[in-house]
Amino acid sequence: MKKHVVFPAVVLLTLALSTPAFNCTTTLTGKDASADGSVMVSHTDDGLGDPRVVFVPAMDHPEGALRPVFYESAAMGYLPEWGGSQTHRLVTDGRGPGYRNPDEPASVPLGFIPQVSHTFAYIDANYGIMNEHQVSIGECTDKAKVHPLPEPGKRIFYSAELSRVALERSTTAREAIAVMGRLIDTYGYYGTGETLLVADPNEGWVFEMAGYDLNGTDGVWVAQRVPDNGFFVAANQFRIREIREGADDMIFSANIFDAARTNGWWRPEDGPLDWARVYGDGEFHHPYYSLRRVWRAQSLVASSLDLPAWVDGPFTRSYPFAVVPDQKLSVQDVMAVHRDNYEGTEFDLTTGLAAGPFDNPNRFEGGAEATMDKQGRMTTLNGAFERPLNIYRCAYVYVNQSRSWLPDPIGGVSWIGLDRPATSVLLPFYAGGLGLPRSLEVADVLRVDRGSMWTAFNYVANYAMLKYSYMIKDIRAERGRFEARGFGGRHEVEARALALWQSGDEQGARRLLTEDSAAHADELLAAWWQLADHLYITYNDGYINTKETIAQPVFYPAWWLEAVGYQNGPQSYEKPATK
């Protein structure tokens, strides 16, 4: 049970800091900043790991029952001694059929906490998404000064399991924060620093946490309320700054000052404790890995602020905690932020030599940021590509809406897209429904499964990189068709569900929403595999192929040919002069 404790700490720390697998972006839109008065939380889960979205049903538990707390590979990388697999985060019979997998090792608990008599239904993935009471969560990983290892009896919680327990037990955002804070204080925290956005139909909060002692038995945390007219974004760096005692919009752990003093990170005479600077360690990977996304997201929704793209360091004050959007935001507006590749800016990833001849915005990362010399030795390569909001290694994206004017099972809707945002399609699913389509709950990155929604979208997105500027038009057309129907048909479907609810047929309302979402998902899955076939045939061998004419040549643009040396190709039988 404890053999992972002796795993070299430096190795795990290096793994946590170097892997890009969990570096996400998350936003929160207050009710007075949204177009319809909903509170919205969005999240991209940016890593090739377990892309499944799973429904965890409501459950009753006997008196004296214990809830297992499982290890999270999102915290420190996959460790086989804790069960599961590299492709499936949890294997257990205790959280509904979505997590049952008899063909893989069962997940091994790090520890247990007392169970409550009743737990609420929720939509789950690598982190909790939304529960049947419209409590909504988003996430991003942050670089803290200390990343403790898990250890039974000392540190058993990471943000992922914290988010799940919060959704199982909370009917408001404040309740969820209180639950997670108590769990950190009582059972300890391990892994990276974390930001969780927590919302309900009335308000939204930023909840940030970290370890501070490699051998400690608790952690530190702080929560700050997002103004109702505000838009907040976090991108792998703590965003809360000064800790203000007695403030109505801030809650924090009792040890937050003492832990900072004990570690020599802060003294009262230095002034207010700056959470991001004291407990954080700047950006992951390279400068602007986080800050560029914060700049771009805030600039997209509030261009009137004319925020600077270049700043003086990782703890800049140039970007506010939250901004007031120039116009109130819809789900589509928030999703447009996540689909962005810096188009139209000096950082535009769809232009230049690195984008290739067909404007491909995807930039593969090198892990250790090293390359081979001619003798095969690893050599450090200085430099970096810009890190966009839309990134190729995204497992799923969602925009949650919590709506106060509807009953919870109807008001809480999660617009979910599989794989990277730019080529995904948002479909509505309800945590207050009766379940999710099987196509969302099955996925394995090591197996092609035509019954898996993620596989279909990942397949198309990867194929599109061969001739991106052409194929993305086909993808957007199909995406637009499905999203127009999804958004356009919501009012009618939800009105029917509300009528059933008000007549006393609550189960009928839940069933209607569940079946409607499933029908849309089934149609989308079939259409996306058809799209894959269409792209393969239409752009086969680099041509454009139609019923009218096959093998229509599509040559490279002149600027790219010149840049890659096309003009130096053989044009005579004479050997070119050596330069």
Side-chain angles (χ1 to χ4, degrees):
M1 286 284 290
K2 293 187 179 182
K3 66 179 180 179
H4 76 292
V5 176
V6 299
F7 198 97
V10 66
V11 174
L12 280 179
L13 183 59
T14 300
L15 174 65
L17 295 184
S18 65
T19 178
F22 315 112
N23 300 160
C24 311
T25 308
T26 188
T27 79
L28 194 152
T29 305
K31 61 184 179 181
D32 294 337
S34 69
D36 63 358
S38 62
V39 180
M40 294 187 287
V41 168
S42 70
H43 167 73
T44 57
D45 194 75
D46 296 339
L48 185 64
D50 186 346
R52 296 175 301 160
V53 180
V54 174
F55 183 79
V56 178
M59 300 181 194
D60 293 316
H61 308 278
E63 185 176 354
L66 296 176
R67 184 201 187 277
V69 177
F70 295 113
Y71 170 73
E72 291 294 336
S73 59
M76 310 297 283
Y78 171 63
L79 296 175
E81 57 263 44
W82 298 113
S85 69
Q86 293 191 76
T87 58
H88 292 134
R89 57 185 170 263
L90 286 177
V91 178
T92 178
D93 291 333
R95 299 193 192 170
Y99 281 125
R100 291 176 188 146
N101 191 337
D103 297 327
E104 292 189 340
S107 295
V108 178
L110 275 168
F112 296 85
I113 63 172
Q115 184 60 281
V116 295
S117 61
H118 180 78
T119 50
F120 304 127
Y122 61 101
I123 299 173
D124 189 32
N126 287 316
Y127 306 84
I129 296 177
M130 175 180 261
N131 77 6
E132 61 179 306
H133 292 287
Q134 304 196 65
V135 178
S136 172
I137 289 180
E139 182 274 344
C140 76
T141 301
D142 305 312
K143 188 180 178 187
K145 281 189 171 67
V146 176
H147 294 175
L149 304 179
E151 183 174 351
K154 294 182 72 174
R155 294 173 300 280
I156 67 171
F157 269 105
Y158 184 60
S159 63
E161 281 285 74
L162 286 172
S163 70
R164 295 177 185 126
V165 177
L167 293 180
E168 291 167 4
R169 302 182 179 193
S170 305
T171 59
T172 69
R174 292 185 189 234
E175 284 183 5
I177 290 168
V179 166
M180 292 188 290
R182 286 196 301 269
L183 292 173
I184 292 172
D185 296 343
T186 306
Y187 297 99
Y189 181 81
Y190 70 91
T192 61
E194 280 285 296
T195 295
L196 293 180
L197 305 187
V198 190
D200 60 32
N202 297 303
E203 61 180 354
W205 290 74
V206 181
F207 181 77
E208 297 190 323
M209 68 209 79
Y212 65 90
D213 183 344
L214 288 175
N215 294 308
T217 57
D218 59 2
V220 286
W221 56 269
V222 58
Q224 183 172 343
R225 192 179 189 275
V226 176
D228 290 338
N229 66 346
F231 170 85
F232 172 91
V233 59
N236 307 127
Q237 185 179 14
F238 289 139
R239 295 275 285 115
I240 295 175
R241 304 304 296 263
E242 279 74 28
I243 305 299
R244 293 173 282 109
E245 296 185 82
D248 293 336
D249 65 344
M250 183 168 280
I251 313 167
F252 48 85
S253 59
N255 63 347
I256 198 167
F257 298 110
D258 288 342
R261 279 195 299 263
T262 300
N263 283 280
W265 299 335
W266 171 80
R267 301 172 303 172
E269 54 266 34
D270 295 334
L273 190 154
D274 181 339
W275 164 265
R277 186 183 289 272
V278 169
Y279 286 103
D281 196 30
E283 301 184 72
F284 278 100
H285 304 303
H286 59 75
Y288 295 106
Y289 185 85
S290 300
L291 290 174
R292 191 77 78 213
R293 281 177 284 157
V294 173
W295 165 78
R296 182 58 169 163
Q298 291 190 343
S299 297
L300 284 170
V301 304
S303 60
S304 62
L305 295 178
D306 195 23
L307 297 169
W310 301 95
V311 295
D312 57 3
F315 301 107
T316 179
R317 298 285 183 168
S318 297
Y319 307 132
F321 174 73
V323 298
V324 178
D326 292 342
Q327 296 180 332
K328 294 191 176 184
L329 304 175
S330 65
V331 172
Q332 297 95 317
D333 294 328
V334 174
M335 189 59 181
V337 171
H338 288 293
R339 285 174 169 154
D340 184 77
N341 296 295
Y342 303 122
E343 287 90 344
T345 75
E346 62 183 292
F347 315 110
D348 193 337
L349 294 174
T350 66
T351 63
L353 189 60
F358 303 118
D359 306 337
N360 182 1
N362 299 288
R363 301 289 185 274
F364 301 133
E365 296 164 323
E369 301 301 319
T371 187
M372 294 280 190
D373 65 14
K374 292 181 179 180
Q375 286 72 42
R377 295 171 301 201
M378 297 301 291
T379 58
T380 300
L381 180 66
N382 294 322
F385 288 121
E386 292 285 349
R387 199 300 199 184
L389 289 149
N390 172 69
I391 196 165
Y392 67 92
R393 53 175 167 79
C394 181
Y396 55 83
V397 57
Y398 60 80
V399 182
N400 293 338
Q401 286 185 286
S402 300
R403 300 174 290 179
S404 62
W405 60 93
L406 290 168
D408 286 340
I410 304 171
V413 57
S414 183
W415 295 89
I416 299 174
L418 279 299
D419 202 61
R420 65 207 71 178
T423 52
S424 65
V425 173
L426 292 183
L427 285 183
F429 300 96
Y430 296 83
L434 303 178
L436 292 174
R438 181 181 181 276
S439 58
L440 267 72
E441 295 193 321
V442 295
D444 188 327
V445 301
L446 298 177
R447 188 167 66 92
V448 175
D449 182 350
R450 287 189 171 263
S452 165
M453 188 77 76
W454 177 83
T455 304
F457 276 87
N458 183 259
Y459 187 99
V460 167
N462 273 273
Y463 192 72
M465 287 191 281
L466 290 174
K467 193 161 283 188
Y468 190 87
S469 59
Y470 287 81
M471 296 192 205
I472 191 62
K473 295 175 183 176
D474 297 80
I475 293 170
R476 285 171 179 163
E478 197 71 352
R479 181 185 80 195
R481 183 170 73 90
F482 274 96
E483 289 192 350
R485 289 173 53 193
F487 286 106
R490 278 311 85 200
H491 179 74
E492 187 271 336
V493 171
E494 291 175 355
R496 288 166 52 202
L498 182 60
L500 288 170
W501 187 273
Q502 291 173 337
S503 72
D505 187 3
E506 297 183 0
Q507 193 73 357
R510 296 177 192 266
R511 184 179 304 109
L512 170 64
L513 295 173
T514 305
E515 292 176 352
D516 179 76
S517 295
H520 279 275
D522 290 346
E523 185 179 354
L524 176 62
L525 179 64
W528 224 250
W529 283 118
Q530 290 174 4
L531 176 62
D533 294 343
H534 165 78
L535 295 176
Y536 168 73
I537 292 169
T538 303
Y539 302 103
N540 191 17
D541 283 347
Y543 297 112
I544 293 179
N545 305 289
T546 67
K547 290 181 180 179
E548 292 73 27
T549 307
I550 64 169
Q552 302 173 50
V554 178
F555 203 47
Y556 303 109
W559 69 266
W560 187 83
L561 289 171
E562 183 177 358
V564 299
Y566 177 79
Q567 68 277 11
N568 300 323
Q571 300 179 54
S572 74
Y573 288 98
E574 297 179 9
K575 181 180 179 180
T578 303
K579 293 182 179 180

